[in-house]
Every structure is written in C-alpha cells, then in structure tokens.
Amino acid sequence: QLRFVESGGGLVQPGGSLILSCAASAFSLDSYGIGWFRQAPGKEREGVSCISGNTGGTYYASSVKGRFTISRDNAKNTVYLQMNSLRPEDTAVYYCAARLRKDLTITPQLYDYWGQGTQVTVSS
C-alpha cells in the first residue's frame, strides 16, 4: 500500500518560512505525480502545487506562486514544499498526495493516495 510520512508543520509568524516533507514508503515517488493541498476548517480542500513524475515540471496556485516551491529528491524518495513569506491565510492542514498519471493538475479529485496531513499555523 502506498504510504506517506509527512513532517515539518508547526507555528510560524507572518513573513516566516517553513518546509514540509513528504516521504514515501513502499513505492517510488518518481513513478507518480505528486501534489500538495491544504484545507482549513469549514472550507473546501484546495490545490497548492504539484510536480510531474516524468518531466519534473511544476505548477502553483496563484495564491502561492512566487512564495512556495515544490521539489522532489528521488534518492531520498521525498517531496518537499518550501514555503516563504507566509501569511495568516496560509493557515491550514497541508496534505501531500499521489496519482498514477503524471501530468500537472491540482484538482483534488484526480489524486488517488493521500497522506494524513500536517498543521501549518501562521500567526503572530
């Protein structure tokens, strides 16, 4: 079974930085498209970023473009989300997810396997 181990969430002040890690067990991340998503209480899950499993291409939601960076380290079987210039509206539970298709999309319904999520809180 595909399995993710997420880490890096926590409390950070506005303008600060945080890096999230998504390590895979029992499968190789380079065989899948990987996405990062977030969900705040009472709100729909929204796509944040994704990275292609075959080309390494990336895509970002307009709300995070220029502030967040997604990357993949195949040797470590880990995907990262570097988050800079964090704002209070970035507060949410962040999830990593995988899908067999490798084209770029941040539509949650198109992803097959999900991690448990990690809480990110941006507050002074």
Side-chain angles (χ1 to χ4, degrees):
Q1 178 65 43
L2 302 179
R3 193 182 189 98
F4 295 103
V5 179
E6 297 171 308
S7 62
L11 175 64
V12 64
Q13 293 184 332
S17 297
L18 204 62
I19 184 167
L20 305 182
S21 299
C22 182
S25 299
F27 75 103
S28 297
L29 287 175
D30 62 358
S31 298
Y32 298 84
I34 306 297
W36 283 98
F37 302 82
R38 65 187 182 186
Q39 187 169 21
K43 297 184 178 180
E44 296 291 326
R45 187 170 300 184
E46 64 173 337
V48 174
S49 182
C50 64
I51 185 166
S52 171
N54 58 350
T55 68
T58 59
Y59 178 82
Y60 300 90
S62 296
S63 59
V64 307
K65 189 175 182 180
R67 300 188 297 121
F68 291 10
T69 303
I70 189 171
S71 62
R72 182 181 64 215
D73 188 333
N74 290 335
K76 297 180 180 179
N77 211 28
T78 301
V79 172
Y80 304 94
L81 185 68
Q82 176 69 53
M83 304 184 293
N84 299 322
S85 302
L86 284 163
R87 308 189 293 230
E89 52 263 43
D90 295 318
T91 296
V93 176
Y94 282 71
Y95 301 88
C96 61
R99 70 188 194 116
L100 189 57
R101 289 185 63 184
K102 302 173 183 177
D103 55 320
L104 296 172
T105 179
I106 54 171
T107 302
Q109 292 77 14
L110 297 180
Y111 281 75
D112 304 305
Y113 306 100
W114 293 82
Q116 293 297 309
T118 183
Q119 178 71 49
V120 172
T121 302
V122 185
S123 177
S124 59

